[in-house]
Amino acid sequence: MAQAQAASQNDLRNDFALLIDGELTVGAGHLDVINPATGKVFAHAPAAGRVELDRAVAAARRALPEWSARSFEDRTQFIKRMAGILRTNQDALAELLTREQGKPIGQAKDEIGRAASQSEGMAQIPITSELITDDAERRIEVRYVPLGVAGIITPWNAPINLAAGPLVSALYTGNTAVVKPSPYTPLSTLKIGELLRDVFPRGVINVLAGGDELGQWMTEHPGIDKISFTGSVATGKKVMASAAGTLKRITLELGGNDAAIVLDDVDPKAVAPKLFFAGFVNSGQVCMAVKRIYAHEKIYDALCAALVEEARKWTVGDGLDAATKLGPIQNRMQYDKLVDILDDTKRSGARFLAGGDVPQTSGYFFNPTLVTDVDEKSRIVREEQFGPIVPVLKFTDVEDALRRANDTRYGLSGSVWSRDPERAAAIAARLEVGTAWVNQHRTTAANVPFGGAKESGMGRTYAAMGLKSYMEPRVISVLKQPL
Ligand code: NAD
C-alpha cells in the first residue's frame, strides 16, 4: 500500500463558511470532517440550522426577479466566469477534495475540470419556445419560465461535479439556488461558494452545509420550488414523499447496479482495462460504475485473467500520494457496509480472483476485489455495492445475460461490449436503463440527457431535457379575432 504523505494533513482547519445572501457566515453548529485516508478529523465545517436555511431561502427569493429577468446570453457569461474560477483554483480545490473525499489527486483534478467543461457545455444549449399554431385565427406557443428557488442536495462521491450539474442547470434557466453538500464532504462545496461570492449577484447562490435533517427541511420548505437530489434510492424515496407536501418539482439521480455484458467476440485484453476502470475508478463509488460483469463463457477465463492483471496495477493508498490509483472508501459507514458484503460473499462460497482481504490501518482502505462463482441471489449481485468489489458472472446465451442484467429494481445504465458495434447496440437497446452504452461505460456529455429508469431516478440531468426540468412550460394562447 502506498505511504500516506503530507505532514499538514491532520492540521485542523476551520476557515470554512456558509454563503448566505452574499455574506460568509458561521452556522448554528459544526460538522467534524474526517480524512478517510487517516480516519481522523482534519477540519470543521459550519452547520446550518433552520434559521440559516430560512435566511438562505429568503435571500434566494429576493434575488429571483432580477436574475430571472436576465437573458440566457447574460447568464451564460456568469457561468463561463464560474467555469474559469473552477479552473484557476483547480489545484487547491483538488487537494481539498482529496483530503475530504479520498479520491486520488489526479481524479480530483479531473472532477473539477469536468465540472467546468460540463458547466460551459450546458450554458450553450438553446432553450427556445415552441410555436404550436400561428395562423389567421390564433397563435399558440409554449414558453419555458424559471421555477423559482432550487434546492440542490448532493452526495459524497463526487461533490463538486454533482453540485455543478444541477447548480448550472438551475442558474442558466433563471432560477436561484440553495446548495447543500453531504455532511461527509462539505468543504470543497463551501469553498466554491466562497469563490463565487463576488461573481454572482448576492442571493443567487447560497451554500449551506449541514446534516441529513437540513436536507429534509429543504424538501419541506415552502420557499423552495424545486429539489434536485443526488443520492441513494432509500433517501430519494423520502425526498419524493416529503416534496409531495408542497408539490415541489423534483429531479432524483439515484443509485445503480450497472451490468456490463461482454460478448463472445471481444479481445479480453483490450476490454479488461476499460471495464476495470469503469468498475474501480473512485474506488467504485460512482453511481454509474460497472457493478456486475456478465462475460460469455468463450472469453470468460481470458477476461478474468486480464482483469486480475489490471487489479495488480491499481495501487491502494492515500489519494495525495502520486502513486495511488485507488483511494480509501469515503466514510466509515460505507466501509463497514463493504466489509459486510465481503464477508457475505465469502460465506456464500464465491471464488476470489483478486483481493478478499482488508488492510488493517486507521484509514478506510479496501483492496480491489474481483469475485466469481457467485450466487446470483447474493448481496454482491443484488445490491449496489458502491465500492471496489465486483462480481464476474458467466453466461452462455445472450438472452439469459439480458434477463439477468435486467432482473433488478435499479435501471441507471449498462453496457454491451463486442467487436461488432451494431450487434452490441441491438442488445444494449434492450437493457432497462436510462443510458445503454456500447464499447464504453460512464461516458456523459452536457448535451446528452442522463438519468435513471426504474428506481434509479426520476427525470434527467443535462441537455435541453434536463434544463427544462428547472422550468415550467407556460402556454400562451392568443385568439387573434378582435372582440
Ligand atoms: P444519501 O442518500 O445518504 O445522501 C445524499 C444527500 O442527501 C446528503 O447530502 C444527505 O445529507 C442528504 N439527505 C439524507 N437524508 C435526507 C432526507 N431525509 N431528505 C433530504 N436529504 C437527505 O446518499 P450518499 O450515501 O451520500 O450517496 C451515495 C448514493 O448516491 C449512491 O447510491 C449512489 O449511487 C448515488 N449517486 C447517484 C448519482 C446519479 O447521478 N444517479 C450520482 C452520484 C451518486
Side-chain angles (χ1 to χ4, degrees):
M1 210 175 67
Q3 277 295 310
Q5 58 164 221
S8 64
Q9 197 153 322
N10 290 327
D11 295 352
L12 215 55
R13 294 187 55 190
N14 294 297
D15 52 341
F16 298 95
L18 310 176
L19 177 66
I20 302 176
D21 201 14
E23 303 289 337
L24 295 173
T25 173
V26 293
H30 80 270
L31 300 166
D32 290 337
V33 185
I34 292 173
N35 178 343
T38 63
K40 305 235 164 36
V41 175
F42 79 103
H44 289 148
R50 282 192 193 268
V51 171
E52 288 76 22
L53 175 61
D54 285 345
R55 280 176 49 214
V57 172
R61 294 220 79 83
R62 273 196 303 277
L64 193 57
E66 191 266 344
W67 182 252
S68 59
R70 288 176 185 259
S71 66
F72 279 97
E73 293 72 23
D74 194 7
R75 294 192 295 252
T76 298
Q77 295 313 314
F78 281 92
I79 289 157
K80 281 187 175 162
R81 261 174 261 154
M82 169 179 160
I85 282 189
L86 288 175
R87 290 200 181 96
T88 312
N89 293 278
Q90 188 170 19
D91 288 348
L93 283 171
E95 190 180 322
L96 187 59
L97 180 57
T98 293
R99 282 184 203 280
E100 68 172 342
Q101 202 280 335
K103 65 182 61 182
I105 189 80
Q107 290 173 28
K109 284 184 191 163
D110 287 351
E111 178 176 337
I112 296 157
R114 184 164 175 72
S117 58
Q118 294 281 80
S119 297
E120 286 168 339
M122 276 185 278
Q124 282 163 25
I125 294 171
I127 303 291
T128 49
S129 50
E130 290 150 27
L131 193 59
I132 293 176
T133 304
D134 191 10
D135 56 24
E137 203 183 332
R138 59 185 76 228
R139 190 181 73 248
I140 306 174
E141 64 173 311
V142 186
R143 286 188 198 160
Y144 291 88
V145 298
L147 286 172
V149 175
I152 296 167
I153 303 173
T154 62
W156 44 258
N157 61 327
I160 296 183
N161 203 24
L162 296 172
L167 178 62
V168 167
S169 304
L171 299 182
Y172 174 59
T173 52
N175 302 273
T176 55
V178 178
V179 184
K180 186 202 99 63
S182 164
Y184 291 112
T185 53
L187 304 180
S188 46
T189 312
L190 290 172
K191 263 300 161 218
I192 289 173
E194 197 180 318
L195 291 167
L196 296 180
R197 177 190 175 198
D198 297 325
V199 175
F200 287 84
R202 63 190 295 165
V204 169
I205 301 177
N206 304 272
V207 183
L208 301 180
D212 293 349
E213 66 285 355
L214 177 63
Q216 191 190 324
W217 299 337
M218 288 168 72
T219 62
E220 293 164 355
H221 204 291
I224 293 182
D225 305 283
K226 153 99 190 182
I227 290 285
S228 159
F229 172 81
T230 310
S232 62
V233 172
T235 312
K237 288 178 181 176
K238 289 186 197 161
V239 168
M240 189 164 175
S242 177
T246 43
L247 276 181
K248 285 180 181 45
R249 304 314 189 241
I250 50 170
T251 300
L252 303 177
E253 293 285 356
L254 309 179
N257 193 6
D258 285 17
I261 300 178
V262 188
L263 301 185
D264 54 2
D265 61 355
V266 301
D267 171 359
K269 284 205 167 114
V271 168
K274 294 180 177 159
L275 273 181
F276 193 90
F277 184 86
F280 288 82
V281 67
N282 197 16
S283 295
Q285 301 166 118
V286 177
C287 55
M288 55 183 134
V290 168
K291 294 184 179 126
R292 297 173 288 157
I293 298 174
Y294 288 95
H296 189 271
E297 60 179 354
K298 205 170 134 194
I299 47 88
Y300 179 80
D301 289 338
L303 184 70
C304 286
L307 287 167
V308 169
E309 204 47 49
E310 276 308 302
R312 289 206 184 99
K313 297 182 201 158
W314 283 58
T315 313
V316 178
D318 187 324
L320 289 175
D321 189 324
T324 296
K325 287 188 89 174
L326 215 65
I329 304 308
Q330 200 282 320
N331 60 71
R332 182 80 211 200
M333 180 200 62
Q334 179 62 19
Y335 172 83
D336 287 344
K337 178 184 149 187
L338 284 168
V339 172
D340 266 9
I341 290 182
L342 181 70
D343 290 344
D344 184 77
T345 310
K346 280 183 183 160
R347 274 195 303 275
S348 74
R351 190 157 56 89
F352 283 74
L353 298 167
D357 56 325
V358 181
Q360 296 303 311
T361 69
S362 57
Y364 311 142
F365 296 102
F366 198 99
N367 291 328
T369 303
L370 290 159
V371 292
T372 187
D373 297 342
V374 186
D375 181 349
E376 200 82 11
K377 293 200 167 50
S378 63
R379 287 184 66 192
I380 185 64
V381 180
R382 304 298 305 169
E383 290 183 20
E384 180 187 40
Q385 67 272 47
F386 216 58
I389 170 168
V390 175
V392 192
L393 307 140
K394 197 187 283 187
F395 73 88
T396 309
D397 171 29
V398 170
E399 291 303 317
D400 180 50
L402 266 173
R403 185 191 55 73
R404 288 154 71 190
N406 285 333
D407 183 20
T408 168
R409 287 302 304 150
Y410 290 104
L412 191 57
S413 32
S415 56
V416 180
W417 302 72
S418 167
R419 268 186 216 269
D420 179 349
E422 289 313 315
R423 177 184 171 217
I427 297 165
R430 294 172 60 201
L431 286 170
E432 296 165 358
V433 293
T435 303
W437 288 289
V438 168
N439 294 338
Q440 57 183 336
H441 202 109
R442 218 184 141 260
T443 316
T444 57
N447 63 347
V448 181
F450 180 80
K454 297 174 164 177
E455 291 191 11
S456 284
M458 182 79 57
R460 295 293 181 266
T461 300
Y462 302 139
M465 192 186 282
L467 294 172
K468 281 181 181 168
S469 70
Y470 290 77
M471 308 190 87
E472 194 69 59
R474 180 176 292 163
V475 173
I476 320 284
S477 182
V478 179
L479 196 56
K480 290 182 178 173
Q481 261 70 26
L483 292 176

